[in-house]
Amino acid sequence: MAEYTLKVAGLTRKLPICPLNDKLDIAAFIMFSDVELTEACAEQLLAKCPGFDVIITAESKGIPLAYEMARQSGKPYVVARKSVKLYMTDPISVNVKSITTAAEQTLYLSKEKAELLRGKKVLIVDDVISTGESLTALEKLTERAEGIIAAKSAVLAEGDAADRTDIIFLEKLPLFFK
Protein backbone atom coordinates (compact mmCIF):
# COMPACT_ATOMS: atom_id res chain seq x y z
CA MET A 1 0.00 0.00 0.00
CA ALA A 2 1.25 3.46 -0.88
CA GLU A 3 2.05 5.83 1.98
CA TYR A 4 2.30 9.56 2.55
CA THR A 5 4.88 10.90 5.01
CA LEU A 6 3.31 13.50 7.28
CA LYS A 7 5.33 15.83 9.49
CA VAL A 8 3.20 17.53 12.13
CA ALA A 9 3.82 18.88 15.64
CA GLY A 10 7.47 17.85 15.46
CA LEU A 11 6.57 14.22 14.68
CA THR A 12 6.65 12.10 11.54
CA ARG A 13 3.97 9.56 10.65
CA LYS A 14 3.41 7.32 7.62
CA LEU A 15 -0.22 7.52 6.46
CA PRO A 16 -1.74 4.85 4.22
CA ILE A 17 -3.14 6.22 0.97
CA CYS A 18 -6.68 4.91 0.52
CA PRO A 19 -9.03 5.07 -2.48
CA LEU A 20 -12.00 7.37 -1.94
CA ASN A 21 -13.41 6.79 -5.41
CA ASP A 22 -12.12 6.00 -8.93
CA LYS A 23 -10.64 9.51 -9.30
CA LEU A 24 -9.34 10.34 -5.83
CA ASP A 25 -7.24 8.83 -3.04
CA ILE A 26 -6.78 10.29 0.43
CA ALA A 27 -4.13 9.81 3.11
CA ALA A 28 -5.79 8.30 6.20
CA PHE A 29 -4.94 10.34 9.30
CA ILE A 30 -6.01 8.41 12.40
CA MET A 31 -5.12 9.79 15.84
CA PHE A 32 -6.76 6.90 17.71
CA SER A 33 -4.17 5.03 19.82
CA ASP A 34 -1.38 7.53 19.06
CA VAL A 35 -1.05 9.29 22.40
CA GLU A 36 2.25 10.99 21.53
CA LEU A 37 0.76 12.52 18.38
CA THR A 38 -2.48 13.54 20.11
CA GLU A 39 -0.65 15.30 22.95
CA ALA A 40 1.78 17.12 20.62
CA CYS A 41 -0.94 18.24 18.21
CA ALA A 42 -3.18 19.43 21.05
CA GLU A 43 -0.36 21.51 22.52
CA GLN A 44 0.55 23.15 19.21
CA LEU A 45 -3.07 23.75 18.19
CA LEU A 46 -3.89 25.35 21.56
CA ALA A 47 -0.93 27.71 21.09
CA LYS A 48 -2.46 28.94 17.82
CA CYS A 49 -6.07 29.30 19.02
CA PRO A 50 -7.64 32.42 20.59
CA GLY A 51 -9.29 32.39 24.02
CA PHE A 52 -12.30 30.11 24.47
CA ASP A 53 -14.57 28.75 27.21
CA VAL A 54 -15.53 25.33 25.86
CA ILE A 55 -14.54 22.93 23.06
CA ILE A 56 -16.93 21.09 20.74
CA THR A 57 -16.14 18.20 18.40
CA ALA A 58 -18.10 15.61 16.44
CA GLU A 59 -18.33 12.04 17.69
CA SER A 60 -15.50 10.08 16.12
CA LYS A 61 -11.87 10.79 15.33
CA GLY A 62 -11.81 14.29 16.83
CA ILE A 63 -12.63 13.05 20.35
CA PRO A 64 -9.09 12.22 21.51
CA LEU A 65 -7.86 15.61 20.27
CA ALA A 66 -10.71 17.52 21.93
CA TYR A 67 -10.18 15.60 25.17
CA GLU A 68 -6.45 16.33 25.20
CA MET A 69 -7.00 20.01 24.35
CA ALA A 70 -9.53 20.19 27.21
CA ARG A 71 -7.10 18.47 29.59
CA GLN A 72 -4.22 20.78 28.67
CA SER A 73 -6.33 23.95 28.76
CA GLY A 74 -8.44 23.08 31.80
CA LYS A 75 -11.59 23.88 29.78
CA PRO A 76 -14.57 21.53 29.27
CA TYR A 77 -15.40 19.78 26.02
CA VAL A 78 -18.64 18.61 24.43
CA VAL A 79 -19.13 15.83 21.88
CA ALA A 80 -21.85 16.16 19.24
CA ARG A 81 -23.25 12.62 19.11
CA LYS A 82 -24.17 10.67 15.97
CA SER A 83 -27.32 9.24 17.53
CA VAL A 84 -29.71 10.12 20.32
CA LYS A 85 -28.88 8.28 23.54
CA LEU A 86 -31.43 7.34 26.21
CA TYR A 87 -30.01 9.87 28.65
CA MET A 88 -30.22 12.80 26.21
CA THR A 89 -33.08 15.21 26.92
CA ASP A 90 -34.57 17.56 24.30
CA PRO A 91 -31.71 17.16 21.79
CA ILE A 92 -31.01 19.66 19.05
CA SER A 93 -29.66 18.34 15.74
CA VAL A 94 -28.13 19.15 12.36
CA ASN A 95 -27.41 17.01 9.30
CA VAL A 96 -23.90 16.44 7.93
CA LYS A 97 -22.37 14.74 4.88
CA SER A 98 -18.66 14.03 5.43
CA ILE A 99 -16.14 13.00 2.76
CA THR A 100 -15.18 9.89 4.77
CA THR A 101 -18.75 8.74 5.51
CA ALA A 102 -20.96 7.16 2.85
CA ALA A 103 -24.37 8.37 4.01
CA GLU A 104 -25.66 11.63 5.43
CA GLN A 105 -25.52 11.67 9.23
CA THR A 106 -27.12 13.72 11.96
CA LEU A 107 -25.27 15.24 14.91
CA TYR A 108 -27.06 15.75 18.23
CA LEU A 109 -26.52 17.72 21.42
CA SER A 110 -28.62 17.14 24.52
CA LYS A 111 -30.28 20.10 26.22
CA GLU A 112 -27.67 19.90 29.01
CA LYS A 113 -24.70 19.96 26.62
CA ALA A 114 -26.27 22.76 24.60
CA GLU A 115 -26.57 24.75 27.85
CA LEU A 116 -22.79 24.45 28.31
CA LEU A 117 -22.35 26.36 25.02
CA ARG A 118 -24.95 29.08 25.58
CA GLY A 119 -23.30 32.49 25.67
CA LYS A 120 -19.82 30.92 25.77
CA LYS A 121 -16.86 31.28 23.39
CA VAL A 122 -16.72 27.90 21.65
CA LEU A 123 -13.65 26.37 19.99
CA ILE A 124 -14.62 23.93 17.24
CA VAL A 125 -12.07 21.09 17.00
CA ASP A 126 -11.64 18.29 14.46
CA ASP A 127 -8.80 16.09 13.28
CA VAL A 128 -9.04 16.97 9.57
CA ILE A 129 -10.99 19.64 7.71
CA SER A 130 -11.60 18.59 4.11
CA THR A 131 -14.91 19.55 2.51
CA GLY A 132 -15.90 21.51 5.61
CA GLU A 133 -19.25 19.73 5.99
CA SER A 134 -18.55 18.43 9.51
CA LEU A 135 -17.25 21.86 10.45
CA THR A 136 -20.43 23.50 9.14
CA ALA A 137 -22.58 21.08 11.14
CA LEU A 138 -20.64 21.92 14.33
CA GLU A 139 -21.02 25.64 13.57
CA LYS A 140 -24.79 25.22 13.16
CA LEU A 141 -25.08 23.23 16.40
CA THR A 142 -23.08 25.89 18.24
CA GLU A 143 -25.31 28.63 16.84
CA ARG A 144 -28.50 26.70 17.73
CA ALA A 145 -27.16 26.36 21.27
CA GLU A 146 -26.52 30.14 21.24
CA GLY A 147 -22.77 29.69 21.60
CA ILE A 148 -20.26 32.17 20.17
CA ILE A 149 -17.72 30.65 17.79
CA ALA A 150 -14.23 31.63 18.97
CA ALA A 151 -12.42 29.70 16.22
CA LYS A 152 -12.57 26.64 13.99
CA SER A 153 -9.52 24.38 14.22
CA ALA A 154 -8.03 21.08 13.11
CA VAL A 155 -4.71 19.32 13.00
CA LEU A 156 -4.82 19.09 9.19
CA ALA A 157 -6.46 20.97 6.32
CA GLU A 158 -6.94 18.65 3.36
CA GLY A 159 -6.93 19.76 -0.26
CA ASP A 160 -8.60 23.13 -0.91
CA ALA A 161 -9.40 23.52 2.80
CA ALA A 162 -5.77 24.60 3.25
CA ASP A 163 -6.61 27.78 1.30
CA ARG A 164 -9.35 28.80 3.77
CA THR A 165 -8.64 31.85 5.91
CA ASP A 166 -11.34 31.12 8.50
CA ILE A 167 -9.72 28.02 10.03
CA ILE A 168 -6.69 27.33 12.20
CA PHE A 169 -4.64 24.23 11.39
CA LEU A 170 -1.15 22.83 11.83
CA GLU A 171 -0.35 21.31 8.43
CA LYS A 172 -1.70 20.78 4.94
CA LEU A 173 -2.70 17.29 3.76
CA PRO A 174 -2.68 16.75 0.00
CA LEU A 175 -5.29 14.93 -2.04
CA PHE A 176 -4.09 12.32 -4.52
CA PHE A 177 -5.81 12.55 -7.90
CA LYS A 178 -5.67 9.52 -10.21
Side-chain angles (χ1 to χ4, degrees):
M1 178 177 274
E3 293 180 322
Y4 172 73
T5 301
L6 174 69
K7 294 183 183 206
V8 64
L11 301 171
T12 301
R13 295 294 186 267
K14 300 277 188 187
L15 308 182
I17 297 178
C18 305
L20 186 64
N21 56 44
D22 57 349
K23 295 181 179 168
L24 180 64
D25 292 347
I26 60 172
F29 179 68
I30 312 295
M31 295 184 81
F32 288 138
S33 304
D34 195 334
V35 175
E36 178 185 38
L37 182 67
T38 303
E39 289 175 348
C41 289
E43 182 178 5
Q44 286 201 4
L45 204 49
L46 280 168
K48 293 181 81 167
C49 289
F52 64 93
D53 301 310
V54 62
I55 294 168
I56 187 170
T57 194
E59 183 174 32
S60 194
K61 296 185 300 182
I63 294 174
L65 178 64
Y67 165 81
E68 183 58 24
M69 290 175 75
R71 190 190 70 75
Q72 289 183 22
S73 68
K75 305 288 174 87
Y77 78 105
V78 171
V79 176
R81 304 297 305 262
K82 290 184 178 177
S83 61
V84 175
K85 305 300 178 191
L86 293 174
Y87 54 82
M88 295 173 76
T89 56
D90 300 323
I92 59 173
S93 66
V94 296
N95 293 327
V96 61
K97 175 72 174 93
S98 170
I99 189 172
T100 54
T101 307
E104 184 175 77
Q105 296 180 321
T106 304
L107 293 178
Y108 302 89
L109 276 182
S110 69
K111 177 182 173 184
E112 294 80 11
K113 297 302 181 189
E115 285 294 324
L116 287 175
L117 304 183
R118 183 169 311 203
K120 300 284 180 34
K121 293 184 285 183
V122 179
L123 177 61
I124 297 173
V125 171
D126 209 348
D127 60 333
V128 178
I129 295 173
S130 186
T131 63
E133 292 298 319
S134 297
L135 187 69
T136 299
L138 290 170
E139 287 180 88
K140 287 179 182 176
L141 267 180
T142 298
E143 290 165 0
R144 283 195 184 157
E146 299 177 20
I148 303 152
I149 297 169
K152 300 169 276 190
S153 66
V155 174
L156 303 174
E158 186 174 51
D160 291 342
D163 298 330
R164 292 178 59 161
T165 58
D166 66 326
I167 61 173
I168 297 167
F169 62 95
L170 299 180
E171 297 295 337
K172 297 177 182 181
L173 186 63
L175 294 170
F176 303 90
F177 296 94
K178 301 177 191 178

